[in-house]
Amino acid sequence: MLKVENVVKEFDGFRAVDELSFKIEKNTITGLIGPNGAGKTTTFNIIAGALNLDKGEVYLADQKVNDYPAYQIARLGLARTFQIPRALKKMTVIENLMLVPNGQSGENLFNSWFNRSRVKKEEAANYQKAYQTLEFLELTHLEDELAANLSGGQKKLLEMGRALMADPELILLDEPGAGVNPTLMNKIAENIIKLKERGKTILLIEHNMDLIMNICDKVIVMSDGRYLVEGTPAEIKSNPEVLKAYLGEKTA
């Protein structure tokens, strides 16, 4: 589903990502972990097309996407969330979801005046899809609530819903559990597992090791912008290289 090969990204001579390579298999949940400053979010930005890489290659479903803009990569089936949710605060929850589908007829002024039946039919379909997404996330009771009024955890769920409205095959989740209370954390974990059951592929950055250990099929560890090691959650938990990276010990 995703292949990263020898990727390098520098900022003013500092290598934030250094010859990074890894693969993500289809229909899996993979955790991308590492100490603060390891280059995880920079890697996400490169994969999603928000940053241009300096060297290396990125493939999405065997298609090279190095030079593609973010919108084009999104249309190939990739969606992402952000560590700080980016919902439109002055719009309702359902409106935030209905805004996502690409190429809506109502965005064209001509259609708004002369193809109103087409626009109305399309908006009805978008509403139904958005409501089904809220049912999946168990947020239907907040359908008409302004996004600004949601709790931190609810905003994370809405962010996930916005990603789902794009019908992605690969979903990048940037710290979905950050700042979330235990109850909503469990709900987020359940939803991620349900996404896999629906055939989706998930790559997530997360510092909550309980979440990583409980839901991931594989864990990839980064340190200082480099690939360090990968394995099952159990293997990573007891790997001495990983412990050294997190504790700041120097390898012999």
Side-chain angles (χ1 to χ4, degrees):
M1 178 58 67
L2 175 70
K3 182 165 60 175
V4 174
E5 290 190 341
N6 303 315
V7 166
V8 173
K9 181 61 183 178
E10 294 187 351
F11 297 99
D12 296 325
F14 170 74
R15 282 203 172 189
V17 179
D18 189 2
E19 298 287 350
L20 179 67
S21 298
F22 62 81
K23 295 179 181 179
I24 303 298
E25 301 299 327
K26 187 174 182 179
N27 196 208
T28 59
I29 302 173
T30 302
L32 183 63
I33 69 171
N36 288 330
K40 305 181 295 297
T41 296
T42 301
T43 299
F44 262 29
N45 287 334
I46 291 169
I47 294 169
L51 284 175
N52 294 322
L53 49 75
D54 297 317
K55 177 185 173 184
E57 297 175 337
V58 176
Y59 293 87
L60 181 61
D62 295 325
Q63 185 165 349
K64 187 176 177 180
V65 296
N66 291 34
D67 302 319
Y68 287 14
Y71 76 87
Q72 195 169 353
I73 294 175
R75 289 177 182 175
L76 290 174
L78 182 145
R80 69 167 298 183
T81 67
F82 296 86
Q83 182 178 351
I84 300 174
R86 298 187 177 186
L88 298 171
K89 297 179 181 180
K90 295 184 179 181
M91 297 181 72
T92 66
V93 168
I94 196 78
E95 287 170 344
N96 265 273
L97 298 186
M98 291 178 66
L99 188 67
V100 174
N102 182 54
Q104 297 187 46
S105 299
E107 296 173 353
N108 183 292
L109 185 60
F110 179 87
N111 289 329
S112 297
W113 280 97
F114 300 107
N115 285 327
R116 292 185 182 182
S117 60
R118 174 183 173 186
V119 172
K120 188 174 181 180
K121 182 178 180 181
E122 191 175 90
E123 287 189 350
N126 285 338
Y127 174 83
Q128 183 178 18
K129 181 178 179 181
Y131 193 83
Q132 289 172 345
T133 300
L134 291 181
E135 286 182 321
F136 173 76
L137 299 171
E138 299 182 26
L139 290 178
T140 52
H141 61 293
L142 296 172
E143 173 185 358
D144 296 319
E145 187 67 64
L146 291 178
N149 297 335
L150 301 183
S151 70
Q154 290 166 343
K155 288 176 181 176
K156 293 276 186 175
L157 288 168
L158 178 57
E159 185 90 344
M160 190 180 296
R162 280 157 50 91
L164 292 177
M165 286 293 291
D167 290 325
E169 294 298 319
L170 173 63
I171 305 172
L172 308 183
L173 303 175
D174 194 347
E175 297 200 38
V180 176
N181 68 53
T183 300
L184 282 178
M185 174 74 79
N186 291 334
K187 188 182 296 291
I188 287 171
E190 291 171 3
N191 286 332
I192 294 173
I193 293 170
K194 288 178 183 176
L195 289 175
K196 179 188 173 183
E197 292 172 352
R198 287 185 170 195
K200 306 298 183 183
T201 304
I202 300 99
L203 174 62
L204 70 149
I205 295 171
E206 186 54 65
H207 287 288
N208 186 311
M209 289 300 103
D210 287 337
L211 181 63
I212 289 289
M213 297 300 158
N214 289 333
I215 70 172
C216 289
D217 302 301
K218 180 176 76 172
V219 181
I220 298 169
V221 186
M222 291 181 66
S223 180
D224 296 323
R226 303 184 187 95
Y227 169 96
L228 183 63
V229 67
E230 68 181 69
T232 65
E235 291 168 342
I236 294 302
K237 190 175 183 179
S238 60
N239 188 296
E241 290 184 81
V242 177
L243 297 177
K244 288 177 182 178
Y246 272 95
L247 295 175
E249 298 176 13
K250 295 182 179 179
T251 56

